[in-house]
Amino acid sequence: MKFIKLTAISAAVLASTAALAAEPVVVVDGNDAVVYEAEPVAMGYEAQQPDAYAYNADAGIVSNTAGAVVGGTKTFFQTAINPASVSAEVGTLGYGANVAWAMNEKTELQAGWAGGDSADLFGGDFDADDINYDVDADFSNPYVGVQYRPAANWFTMGAGVIIPDNDIDVRANANDSNYRIDDVDYDADEVGTLEGNLEHRNKLAPYATIGFRPNITNNWGVFGELGAAYMGKTDATVRAVNGTDTDTGASAAAAAEQELEDKDYLEWFPIVKIGATYRF
């Protein structure tokens, strides 16, 4: 009889122990309610405090702020060093690359850079009223933005900001031994060569694009984008060099500056790019 009682008691203890192992332990300390996991130790079970912070709903405070900060920083660091994809690109902003981090199945954050001499992509010259200018450019366009797939397929919409640092040098071409500026003819020999540079006023240029990003394999894909960035109004600096008449050269340079600023060359900067993407 005693043996049966001992056996029943042992079974009850084992059953209650298994239940403790399967269920978390809720510990109430003042206004805080924290869930702990029960883990076996030599003589019983010990509640192990989770890594997550505890939140006091009544007081509206985080009890373990250090844990929250460390945990959030760790998550951010792990995300930053594990991007969703890397891409190489070429287009009107120049040659470059970008890195993307996936927020969800539709949204990616991007950071990239594009630059170099891309003036030939615009034909290498442009007209401002009656004067044709040759262009030599050295672009540097870091950017950050978001790529969004509204239908979770290959169609994308992008938006962000560019931090432009673009050098645009121009040189005027005389027409029939004259520069005709604002309906006034200036003798090319007296003026010499009109050369200068253009600078956009915006230090931050917002942009928007639409595009496509189909996958070719599980890892590789291609993309193309069309859009524009608002670079702002243009400031021009023009000088006359190697002329025979300083006054005539100065007048022609001042008139050319005004025409170039009125032209607002690339105020709305077209964005056209293609590239390849590798997804991790």
Side-chain angles (χ1 to χ4, degrees), residues 20 48 58 66-67 87-88 103 121 125 153 157 161 164-165 173 182-183 188 210-211 252 268:
L20 283 173
Q48 300 294 326
D58 294 331
S87 302
M103 304 300 293
L121 296 173
D125 67 329
N153 60 10
M157 301 171 64
V161 292
D165 184 15
N173 296 311
D182 196 19
D183 297 327
I210 58 173
W268 284 94

Side-chain angles (χ1 to χ4, degrees), residues 126 133-136 168-172 194-198 236-239 260 265:
F126 70 97
Y133 289 88
D134 290 329
V135 181
D136 184 21
I168 305 174
D169 297 325
V170 297
R171 186 178 66 256
L194 290 174
E195 59 183 34
N197 62 281
L198 306 177
T237 302
V238 178
R239 55 195 172 275
L260 285 171
Y265 179 63

Side-chain angles (χ1 to χ4, degrees), residues 80-98:
I81 63 174
N82 291 282
S85 65
V86 293
S87 302
E89 65 183 58
V90 58
T92 52
L93 290 173
Y95 311 89
N98 67 65

Side-chain angles (χ1 to χ4, degrees), residues 139-163:
F139 285 176
S140 177
N141 291 295
Y143 62 88
V144 292
V146 176
Q147 282 289 330
Y148 180 63
R149 300 173 184 262
N153 60 10
W154 56 266
F155 176 72
T156 62
M157 301 171 64
V161 292
I162 300 170
I163 309 171

